[in-house]
């Protein structure tokens, strides 16, 4: 547009300048309104309701652990905490159990706990989810607890009923006691979220040698790579806060990616919540100093990420790392923003992960010979038993323990060779079917996977999801062991070749865990549209 010709040249110039400035301001305003930082405020009359309770259990020393040599708990440094949360959206409900015990993901323990909690809440079993922090300093729940990768079938009718130990009985009793209270505590909530960053406490534990082979990097190896090595790690530290209509915090969820093993040593077992629990305590005290709120910790795709200090750390170092992470969550709260979406969505999807061919007979025979010799030398106390069949071990582990780790993979190699000899190598299962759980709470998407997934799987979910915040989680309900993304498939180190600890499953084949990312993104993006329309 041009200024009217009746104006003087000076006035016409001023009008033209003003119009240009208005156009510029309008453009800036549109950009600001399209930014996630521009918010219209929380949902006015939320449909979503929530209730959460937290409790701790302090086991007695002397309890059994999952260690390979029968070691029992030597010291209890504090309670292990659990949080149980109930969500309600117009009568549709979902229960989330998060715990700093690792053993509840055992397939038979998980099945019992979910079944009993569902019965208490009058919910279908698939409406109860268990997320473990994967804290390594815990103890066994049952004398016969079994991981999902150790059984031929995870059907509830085909797994043994768990023979609960005292700690397992106490945890289940407390979960049921607190679950019973939740329905009466439900109240309308709005969903707020922020994402912090933390890069000081973890490192990428998959190393590469000069010849291209992979190895599991522990502290000794990390020392050789560089000063305080981190490598390629997820630094995201998201926090989700649920507030009632008075603005008070009802509960919070936090997530981070890294094996909690800073004060862990399998031959010197202790009980402690490690840095995830400490970080949760920092957040709880910050959000409500007079009466700390329940905080749930969700573990990320930590298959190829460790916390620093494994086999060399201490409770003091774990506490230090927990405070660091907690401070990162608190700092993120400075930029917390409300969700524009209300309610929640939930879906369980079955996904088939492709499996590849078995190794050749020649390879298997050579590995079996190598393993049998290694086990013999390890049991004799040979300190030079530091590597076998692609696996590497530190001197911080005794030779006997190293031998036990190889005893765990020897049956798989014998099975695979037998399949060849029987002419059945081509008839083994070509996929592993698992359940993936997807949740939308407000603007936040959460995907739960029954694995120790590699970071690349979660990164694909974050990149593909259209929700403002996406939180990929492993260690959900059960664990089928480590799961590689496409690029990491085919290597021989502990994590990438963890299928050798299964009973019995062929190696993963590309794209491997990427199929979970594809399905997760598909569901979350559908949820994003549904949540916006609702």
């Amino acid at each position: 547009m041009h200024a009217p010709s009746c104006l003087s040249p000076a006035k016409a110039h001023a009008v033209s300048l003003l119009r240009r400035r208005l156009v510029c301001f309008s453009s800036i305003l549109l950009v600001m309104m399209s930014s996630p930082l521009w918010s219209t405020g929380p949902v006015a009359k939320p449909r979503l309701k929530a209730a959460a309770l937290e409790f701790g259990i302090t086991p007695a020393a002397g309890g059994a652990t999952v260690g390979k040599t029968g070691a029992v708990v030597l010291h209890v440094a504090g309670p292990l905490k659990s949080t149980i949360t109930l969500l309600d959206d117009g009568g549709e409900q979902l229960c989330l159990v998060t715990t700093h015990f690792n053993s509840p993901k055992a397939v038979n323990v998980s099945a019992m706990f979910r079944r009993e909690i569902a019965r208490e809440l009058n919910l279908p079993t698939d409406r109860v989810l268990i997320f473990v922090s994967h804290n390594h300093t815990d103890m066994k729940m049952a004398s016969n607890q079994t991981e999902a990768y150790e059984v031929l079938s995870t059907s509830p009718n085909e797994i043994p009923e768990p023979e609960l130990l005292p700690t397992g009985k106490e945890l289940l009793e407390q979960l049921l006691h607190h679950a019973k209270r939740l329905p009466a505590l439900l109240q309308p909530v709005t969903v707020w979220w922020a994402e912090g960053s933390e890069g000081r406490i973890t490192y990428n534990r998959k190393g590469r040698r000069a010849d291209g082979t992979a190895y599991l990097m522990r502290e000794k190896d990390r020392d050789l790579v560089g000063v305080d090595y981190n490598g390629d790690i997820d630094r995201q530290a998201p926090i989700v806060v649920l507030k009632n209509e008075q603005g008070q915090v009802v509960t919070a969820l936090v997530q981070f990616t890294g094996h909690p093993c800073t004060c862990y040593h399998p031959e010197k077992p202790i009980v402690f919540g490690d840095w995830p629990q400490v970080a949760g305590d920092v957040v709880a005290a910050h959000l409500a100093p007079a009466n700390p709120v329940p905080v749930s910790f969700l573990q990320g795709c930590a298959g190829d990420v460790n916390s620093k200090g494994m086999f060399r750390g201490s409770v003091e170092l774990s506490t230090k790392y927990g405070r660091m992470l907690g401070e990162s969550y608190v700092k993120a709260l400075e930029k917390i923003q409300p969700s524009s979406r209300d309610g929640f969505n939930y879906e369980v999807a079955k996904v088939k992960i492709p499996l590849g061919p078995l190794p050749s007979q020649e390879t298997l025979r050579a590995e079996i010979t190598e393993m049998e010799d290694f086990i013999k030398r390890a049991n004799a106390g040979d300190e030079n038993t530091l590597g076998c069949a692609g696996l590497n071990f530190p001197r911080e582990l005794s030779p006997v323990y190293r031998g036990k780790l190889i005893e765990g993979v020897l049956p798989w190699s014998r099975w695979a060779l037998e399949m060849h000899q029987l002419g059945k190598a081509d008839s083994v299962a070509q996929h592993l079917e698992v359940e993936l759980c997807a949740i939308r709470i407000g603007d936040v998407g959460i995907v739960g996977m029954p694995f120790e997934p590699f970071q690349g799987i979660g990164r694909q979910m974050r990149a593909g999801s259209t929700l403002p915040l996406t939180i990929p989680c492993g260690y959900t309900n059960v664990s089928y062991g480590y799961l590689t993304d496409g690029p990491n498939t085919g290597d021989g180190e502990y994590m990438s070749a963890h299928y050798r600890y299964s009973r019995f499953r062929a190696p993963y084949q590309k794209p491997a865990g990427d199929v979970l990312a594809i399905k997760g993104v598909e569901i979350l993006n559908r949820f994003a549209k549904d949540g916006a329309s609702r």
Side-chain angles (χ1 to χ4, degrees):
M1 295 178 66
H2 299 282
S5 58
C6 59
L7 295 178
S8 66
K11 289 184 177 179
H13 175 73
V15 170
S16 178
L17 182 61
L18 177 61
R19 284 174 174 161
R20 287 200 297 271
R21 287 176 176 173
L22 286 172
V23 169
C24 181
F25 176 76
S26 298
S27 299
I28 293 172
L29 186 61
L30 286 171
V31 171
M32 289 175 62
M33 292 179 69
S34 65
S35 167
L37 295 178
W38 182 278
S39 174
T40 57
V43 175
K45 294 183 179 180
R47 188 178 62 251
L48 179 65
K49 296 179 181 179
L53 293 167
E54 181 179 281
F55 62 89
I57 291 177
T58 304
T65 71
V66 297
K68 308 295 183 184
T69 55
V72 299
V73 172
L74 302 176
H75 173 62
V76 177
L80 295 182
K81 297 182 179 181
S82 301
T83 297
I84 182 165
T85 303
L86 183 64
L87 302 175
D88 183 287
D89 184 352
E92 183 179 357
Q93 295 186 335
L94 181 66
C95 179
L96 308 180
V97 176
T98 61
T99 180
H100 296 287
F101 281 98
N102 191 43
S103 293
K105 69 176 174 54
V107 65
N108 52 343
V109 175
S110 176
M112 171 186 271
F113 281 21
R114 294 176 71 201
R115 181 185 70 226
E116 295 304 314
I117 295 169
R119 182 178 297 153
E120 186 65 59
L121 292 170
N122 195 28
L123 293 174
T125 302
D126 68 0
R127 287 273 163 167
V128 176
L129 303 181
I130 297 177
F131 296 85
V132 300
S133 68
H134 199 41
N135 169 39
H136 282 42
T137 46
D138 78 330
M139 59 199 309
K140 293 180 75 170
M141 294 284 103
S143 59
N144 65 336
Q145 68 183 49
T146 306
E147 295 292 343
Y149 58 83
E150 295 176 323
V151 295
L152 293 174
S153 170
T154 57
S155 170
N157 297 326
E158 299 183 46
I159 56 176
E161 191 74 0
E163 298 170 4
L164 294 181
L165 297 167
T167 301
K169 291 178 181 178
E170 184 179 2
L171 179 57
L172 179 57
E173 288 171 0
Q174 289 293 326
L175 286 170
L176 294 177
H177 170 72
H178 288 81
K180 187 175 183 178
R181 297 172 54 196
L182 290 176
L185 298 175
L186 286 169
Q187 56 184 311
V189 293
T190 52
V191 182
W192 300 68
W193 62 272
E195 187 169 70
S197 178
E198 175 53 60
R200 298 167 290 179
I201 69 175
T202 55
Y203 70 97
N204 190 308
R205 67 183 197 163
K206 183 170 179 175
R208 291 278 180 189
R209 301 184 181 91
D211 62 2
T213 57
Y215 65 98
L216 169 53
M217 183 182 294
R218 299 182 180 89
E219 288 300 295
K220 179 203 68 165
D221 309 296
R222 199 167 70 87
D223 291 342
L224 297 174
V225 173
V227 177
D228 202 20
Y229 171 81
N230 287 92
D232 179 23
I233 55 172
D234 279 354
R235 297 168 184 259
Q236 291 88 344
I239 178 169
V240 181
V241 179
L242 305 186
K243 299 182 182 181
N244 64 19
E245 293 179 296
Q246 290 73 46
Q248 299 169 326
V249 176
V250 173
T251 188
L253 297 90
V254 297
Q255 185 252 26
F256 192 63
T257 300
H259 270 68
C261 55
T262 295
C263 58
Y264 167 69
H265 193 299
E267 296 178 275
K268 305 169 187 177
I270 67 169
V271 166
F272 186 59
D274 215 311
W275 48 265
Q277 183 169 295
V278 175
D281 289 345
V282 171
V283 170
H286 175 82
L287 291 173
N291 187 24
V293 298
V295 175
S296 296
F297 182 89
L298 305 174
Q299 181 58 258
C301 296
D304 46 348
V305 186
N306 254 16
S307 64
K308 298 172 183 176
M310 185 177 185
F311 302 160
R312 293 183 181 178
S314 62
V315 169
E316 291 72 24
L317 186 58
S318 292
T319 302
K320 176 182 176 181
Y321 287 167
R323 288 174 179 161
M324 287 179 174
L325 179 57
E327 290 165 1
S328 295
Y329 291 131
V330 170
K331 184 177 180 180
L333 291 172
E334 296 172 4
K335 298 182 179 179
I336 195 168
Q337 52 192 301
S339 293
S340 61
R341 295 170 176 82
D342 193 9
F344 76 84
N345 295 106
Y346 174 63
E347 183 175 321
V348 179
K350 291 188 176 182
V351 185
K352 293 182 178 181
I353 300 170
L355 303 178
L358 300 177
S360 68
Q361 293 189 58
E362 181 182 8
T363 297
L364 291 166
R365 287 194 181 95
E367 287 184 347
I368 290 170
T369 299
E370 182 183 0
M371 290 183 204
E372 291 173 340
D373 176 69
F374 182 94
I375 293 168
K376 182 179 179 180
R377 290 188 294 113
N379 288 339
D382 185 350
E383 284 290 349
N384 292 318
T385 46
L386 300 175
C388 178
L391 304 183
N392 61 291
F393 307 108
R395 292 190 183 275
E396 284 92 346
L397 293 176
S398 69
V400 171
Y401 201 96
R402 299 172 216 163
K404 292 294 183 183
L405 289 170
I406 293 300
E407 286 181 19
V409 299
L410 180 57
W412 188 91
S413 295
R414 288 173 172 167
W415 164 81
L417 180 59
E418 183 181 20
M419 290 296 102
H420 278 293
Q421 294 171 338
L422 295 175
K424 296 181 178 181
D426 295 332
S427 65
V428 298
Q430 296 182 353
H431 66 263
L432 171 65
E433 185 174 74
V434 301
E435 290 185 344
L436 174 144
C437 303
I439 311 167
R440 179 195 61 81
I441 307 174
D443 285 345
V444 179
I446 300 173
V447 179
M449 295 168 275
F451 288 99
E452 302 194 41
F454 274 46
Q455 292 179 109
I457 299 170
R459 289 173 176 176
Q460 293 174 62
M461 291 182 181
R462 289 196 197 96
S465 171
T466 55
L467 285 166
L469 179 66
T470 296
I471 301 177
C473 304
Y475 316 91
T476 305
N477 292 332
V478 300
S479 175
Y480 290 90
Y482 290 85
L483 178 63
T484 51
D485 57 343
N488 280 291
T489 302
D491 289 320
E493 96 293 339
Y494 173 73
M495 299 88 68
S496 301
H498 191 265
Y499 59 84
R500 295 191 292 179
Y501 283 94
S502 72
R503 300 293 181 265
F504 293 101
R505 188 174 71 235
Y508 292 122
Q509 181 169 269
K510 293 180 180 180
D514 293 354
V515 298
L516 291 183
I518 294 168
K519 176 56 71 172
V521 167
E522 174 193 317
I523 299 172
L524 291 185
N525 288 346
R526 180 160 27 88
F527 286 173
K529 293 179 181 178
D530 180 55
S533 65
R534 293 166 70 187

